[in-house]
Amino acid sequence: MADGKVVGLDIGTSMIRVAIGEIDPDTGNIRIAGTASRKSAGLRNGVIVNIEDAKNAIKETIDAAEQNAGTTVESVITAIGGSQIESQNSRGTVPVSSANKSTKEISRADVERVIECATAIKVPDDREKLHVIPQNYIVDGIGGIQDPIHRMGTRLEAEVHIVTAAKTIIQNIRSCISRSDYILDGVMLKTLAQTQSVCHQDEMELGSILIDMGAGTTDVLLLLKGAPIGTFSIPVGGNLVTNDISVVGGISTAAAEKIKIENGCCWVDSITKDTDLDVILPGVGGRAPEIMKKSQLAQIIQARVEQIFTLVKVALKKNVGDSIKELSGNIILTGGGAMMEGVIDLAQKVFHTTSVRLGVPESLGGIEEDYKRPDFATVIGLVLANKSLASGKDRSRRTKGRPVHKEKQKGESVLKKIFKSLF
Ligand SMILES: Nc1ncnc2c1ncn2[C@@H]1O[C@H](COP(=O)(O)OP(=O)(O)O)[C@@H](O)[C@H]1O
Ligand SMILES: [Mg+2]
């Protein structure tokens, strides 16, 4: 392993992306040395269904990123999402250790014990714990403590968020990576990685909803007080929009995808007489090409994207219930589907809030900045979340292929309760 590098790999349903991060020797910060994206293969709805096809696509993308960065890759860190992810909140309590009896000061060991206790939930044999993220500590009944070390107390409680994944899914990822002859540094929940590249700390404190608009799935992460409180996935995404265009227009999926990306809009009201251009639908089997107005195309797209957002809204209600009222940050749209024209307007309408924005990775330096787009949120997030691997601080994790957790930091807390009117 060449020192000073961390490589993010996003194995998506439609695309595979790689970002190679390295430590900038001048600043000591992470910068992006190179990126690549290639068409994906062997995946359905975010899950690997053909290891060999996926492996080939992964290898091809890493090769391209190596060339782009002028370096070689030995290990990667990857992300998973989709329907195979589940999460739950758990709680543990321990007495503060008797070793600290004279001072009753909480030590690091006490924190480790309470986290272990909160983590000790039984998960089914076919699942494994991917992340255990501390949300909050409670000392002698007083909650809202983010770092209890050195506090005085006798009873320490921890609230944690536990994310689990189906073992077979992780096993398939491991097989793909090892067959490609790379080392797997770790596997991270995709939306959690994205928070690192597209969410601000204050938004996560105030409570936000991150929506990753992928091709086969739409994945959602709920954040409050700087930590995740829920995650879920809806098995529909941009592919369905493409499919609608293909069926209505009587054209191939490939042609429909191209038209969607070049002329698609999901907010009909934004199209004026002047911008209502003609969109050419290619002829099939000798049939002459047809013309559709951009506004007609937008009607098809808007109906489907609106349905996807509505499904998210219904699932939010089911998953988090009344906690939704505590969220007062933003709805952050990311992933390839968030590049659709009009997506903010439509989300504002469906979720009844103006607090919607695009999640785009910010500049990290490096020569080219082609990663500043929503569909690069995952790989850039993976690099940022695991930059300690590049600085060599976390080398011990390399061999384990275990998830990498990130400690949260405390941000400010101002309440505007904008989500109150959501439902
Ligand atoms: N410019 C664009 N406008 C609208 N949709 C887009 C655009 N670019 C990509 N998409 C859509 O985004 C989805 C892919 O997003 P991505 O995050 O790459 O998905 P995945 O990770 O599931 O492969 C596809 O449905 C694709 O059609
Ligand atoms: Mg994606």
Side-chain angles (χ1 to χ4, degrees), residues 209-214 217-222 231-237 304-321 324 331-333 347 350-351 422-423:
I209 303 168
L210 177 79
I211 306 178
D212 173 36
M213 304 178 69
T217 64
T218 302
D219 289 5
V220 181
L221 183 71
L222 284 117
T231 173
F232 59 89
S233 175
I234 294 171
V236 288
R304 186 59 86 175
V305 181
E306 187 162 347
Q307 187 203 23
I308 295 174
F309 281 149
T310 306
L311 288 171
V312 169
K313 195 169 135 172
V314 170
L316 271 171
K317 203 170 182 179
K318 185 167 147 245
N319 277 267
V320 280
I324 198 83
I331 291 178
I332 302 148
L333 307 177
V350 175
F351 295 104
L422 244 178
F423 302 107

Side-chain angles (χ1 to χ4, degrees), residues 10-17 38 40 43 45-46 190 194 212-218 237-242 256-265 301 334-341 373-378:
D10 173 17
I11 313 169
T13 308
S14 69
M15 299 293 283
I16 300 203
R17 293 192 181 80
R38 290 286 182 275
S40 182
L43 267 89
N45 289 353
K190 185 177 54 173
Q194 291 171 335
D212 173 36
M213 304 178 69
T217 64
T218 302
N239 280 350
L240 225 53
V241 178
T242 306
E257 177 76 14
K258 189 162 181 280
I259 285 172
K260 178 180 86 170
I261 288 175
E262 286 172 7
N263 304 286
C265 172
I301 299 173
T334 197
M339 298 196 289
M340 173 72 71
E341 191 185 316
R373 349 178 333 158
D375 51 353
F376 271 89
T378 305

Side-chain angles (χ1 to χ4, degrees), residues 115-187:
I115 293 295
E116 204 175 301
C117 172
T119 311
I121 55 155
K122 209 171 152 32
V123 296
D125 286 347
D126 58 351
R127 304 190 71 78
E128 71 178 78
K129 288 174 195 150
L130 194 64
H131 297 285
V132 176
I133 305 150
Q135 295 168 322
N136 167 44
Y137 294 94
I138 302 147
V139 178
D140 292 342
I142 298 178
I145 298 169
Q146 305 225 335
D147 183 4
I149 293 177
H150 300 313
R151 285 219 176 215
M152 316 300 270
T154 53
R155 208 170 103 102
L156 176 63
E157 290 169 72
E159 287 176 335
V160 298
H161 189 66
I162 301 176
V163 181
T164 67
K167 276 184 182 161
T168 50
I169 304 299
I170 301 208
Q171 195 44 51
N172 287 349
I173 291 177
R174 285 202 185 103
S175 305
C176 261
I177 306 298
S178 70
R179 276 197 212 179
S180 322
D181 292 328
Y182 295 103
I183 297 165
L184 184 62
D185 279 335
V187 180

